Amino acid sequence: MGILPIDCSLFVLYAGRMDETLADRLRKGRAAVGNPTGRFEPEVRVATDDGWGLGDEEPRPLRTTLGVDSARKIITRNQSPDIPFDRSINPYKGCEHGCIYCFARPTHAYLGHSPGLDFETKLYWKPDAAVLLEAELRDPKYRAATLVLGANTDPYQPIERDRKLTRRILEVLADYRHPVGIVTKSNLILRDLDILAPMAAEGILRVAVSVTTLDRALARRMEPRAPTPARRLEAIRGLAAAGVPVTVLAAPILPALNDHEIEKILEAAAEAGAGAAGYVLLRLPHEIKELFADWLAANYPDRAARVMSLVRQTRGGALYQTEWGKRQTGDGPYAEHIAQRFRLASRRHGLHRGHPPVDESRFRRPPRAGDQLNMF
């Protein structure tokens, strides 16, 4: 086999040139500006212009892919003292809604992916979730307590229309009369009213709908593939009309971006039928700090510095606090001002009373074919 000659002069010229790092740019329908390497990866990858005009090209649209998560258990446990539940189910990993502030983004790094664009485009689902759930509920040692759907990523994100995984999970929970809480920002939840309304009538269901803003332009930028604010209010209205207790979540509150809307969000939600309200101050753990800062610079360069300054004022001078009790609400004068406004608005619109807790005593294992009948 012959050896091809190499033009060493060309090699020297190329080796002596430094490639220019390409700046990340916004992509239509995506919130994250870039795709930074996950924090557990041994190498950092950056895009460069090699002199052939790559930097002049428009970024190509990114397609959403769906992989399989071969989980062996479906119920996730937590012992966080500032979270009011100890178990949850997340049917999907990653979320196509693409909310730039999503606190679940850093979890994608555990999969070897980026918390940036990968989180929005490389999704995973658990096709055996309903089967795994029933196996766990059948265990004689299992004791029921409120189980939350959507604690990490939205159970009603767009791929749920086709996969119907959340619906199958709800069917199992309904059969077992298991107490459930759902957190979503999607009106797709109305599809499952035939399951949810009877559960609510039994007192074993509560739903929280996230309404981050009423400004459609802001929503399109920071939550590009989530339902519009109007559709989220539609979800509240439809759930309430069906007798489902609904809480509105004004979450997250982003300083100098949507904090002026607290009162309007609660008013609109109350008019739609919400019976309770909650909020969470913007959280920026791990890679979200850089992702959010890049998003701000690309979308709101005129106020980026002010927003980050206010975030630091609510986090003791840092961009995030991990202490229990502070990570959700922050501290300092600005954080207390937000909390006070929220309390007053909640009281004004009758959202401060909240809903009674779900009934955790109704859990029953339905009989299967061949089971011995219980005489008592």
Side-chain angles (χ1 to χ4, degrees):
M1 183 175 180
I3 298 177
L4 295 176
I6 297 176
D7 188 334
C8 294
S9 62
L10 288 177
F11 177 78
V12 171
L13 286 172
Y14 183 85
R17 180 178 58 78
M18 293 294 291
D19 292 346
E20 179 183 355
T21 300
L22 295 178
D24 292 321
R25 288 184 288 174
L26 288 170
R27 295 172 185 260
K28 185 177 180 180
R30 303 295 179 183
V33 180
N35 209 34
T37 306
R39 64 189 180 281
F40 301 118
E41 300 307 299
E43 299 175 346
V44 175
R45 297 176 295 277
V46 295
T48 60
D49 185 353
D50 59 3
W52 292 90
L54 294 178
D56 300 327
E57 297 178 3
E58 285 296 317
R60 288 178 293 179
L62 293 175
R63 298 183 61 183
T64 301
T65 63
L66 185 61
V68 172
D69 179 4
S70 54
R72 290 184 291 179
K73 288 193 173 183
I74 193 66
I75 299 177
T76 300
R77 305 278 182 159
N78 81 83
Q79 297 179 336
S80 303
D82 58 352
I83 295 180
F85 56 88
D86 69 352
R87 66 199 69 185
S88 61
I89 294 178
N90 292 292
Y92 304 103
K93 290 182 178 178
C95 187
E96 197 174 4
H97 283 161
C99 306
I100 188 59
Y101 51 74
C102 182
F103 63 82
R105 283 182 177 272
T107 62
H108 236 44
Y110 291 105
L111 304 176
H113 295 318
S114 170
L117 291 168
D118 282 352
F119 178 80
E120 306 173 29
T121 59
K122 294 182 178 180
L123 313 181
Y124 293 85
W125 73 307
K126 304 171 183 179
D128 298 328
V131 175
L132 293 170
L133 174 60
E134 185 153 20
E136 292 191 56
L137 299 185
R138 281 281 172 191
D139 187 334
K141 296 180 181 179
Y142 181 81
R143 297 293 179 266
T146 301
L147 188 154
V148 173
L149 291 173
N152 207 39
T153 58
D154 202 312
Y156 285 102
Q157 59 178 288
I159 53 175
E160 169 63 18
R161 292 187 183 278
D162 174 58
R163 301 296 165 166
K164 297 183 174 63
L165 184 55
T166 296
R167 182 176 176 85
R168 297 205 299 273
I169 290 171
L170 285 172
E171 288 172 341
V172 173
L173 294 171
D175 284 345
Y176 283 73
R177 294 194 223 167
H178 197 292
V180 184
I182 301 175
V183 181
T184 184
K185 58 181 51 150
S186 176
N187 59 327
L188 179 57
I189 192 175
L190 298 178
R191 178 202 64 187
D192 295 337
L193 280 179
D194 60 317
I195 302 174
L196 301 177
M199 294 181 76
E202 290 193 76
I204 59 173
L205 176 72
R206 299 290 182 269
V207 173
V209 177
S210 172
V211 182
T212 317
T213 178
L214 300 179
D215 183 342
R216 187 165 181 173
L218 175 59
R220 189 182 299 115
R221 290 183 175 185
M222 69 178 177
E223 309 160 333
R225 297 191 177 221
T228 63
R231 290 188 173 180
R232 299 184 211 182
L233 293 174
E234 173 190 311
I236 293 175
R237 189 172 292 108
L239 289 164
V244 178
V246 189
T247 295
V248 59
L249 291 180
I253 300 297
L254 297 89
L257 285 175
N258 71 345
D259 55 348
H260 63 286
E261 296 186 75
I262 294 174
E263 292 81 3
K264 292 181 179 179
I265 290 172
L266 297 194
E267 179 181 8
E271 290 178 353
Y279 84 98
V280 177
L281 192 63
L282 176 66
R283 297 168 53 185
L284 298 176
H286 301 301
E287 294 93 341
I288 307 180
K289 300 180 186 67
E290 291 75 24
L291 289 168
F292 183 74
D294 290 344
W295 176 85
L296 267 180
N299 288 278
Y300 298 99
D302 58 326
R303 69 181 93 170
R306 172 167 170 72
V307 171
M308 299 305 280
S309 173
L310 289 173
V311 170
R312 291 183 183 279
Q313 290 178 40
T314 66
R315 301 292 181 183
L319 288 176
Y320 185 55
Q321 290 171 303
T322 59
E323 297 94 329
W324 306 126
K326 290 185 178 180
R327 57 181 187 157
Q328 308 282 7
T329 59
D331 60 8
Y334 192 81
E336 178 54 36
H337 176 63
I338 289 175
Q340 184 175 16
R341 285 175 54 201
F342 179 83
R343 287 193 295 268
L344 291 173
S346 295
R347 185 172 294 277
R348 184 182 310 123
H349 298 294
L351 300 173
H352 62 293
R353 301 181 188 90
H355 298 294
V358 295
D359 187 348
E360 298 183 342
S361 68
R362 301 182 68 82
F363 176 75
R364 297 290 186 275
R365 295 179 178 89
R368 295 181 296 187
D371 283 354
Q372 183 176 352
L373 294 178
N374 186 346
M375 302 300 294
F376 304 98

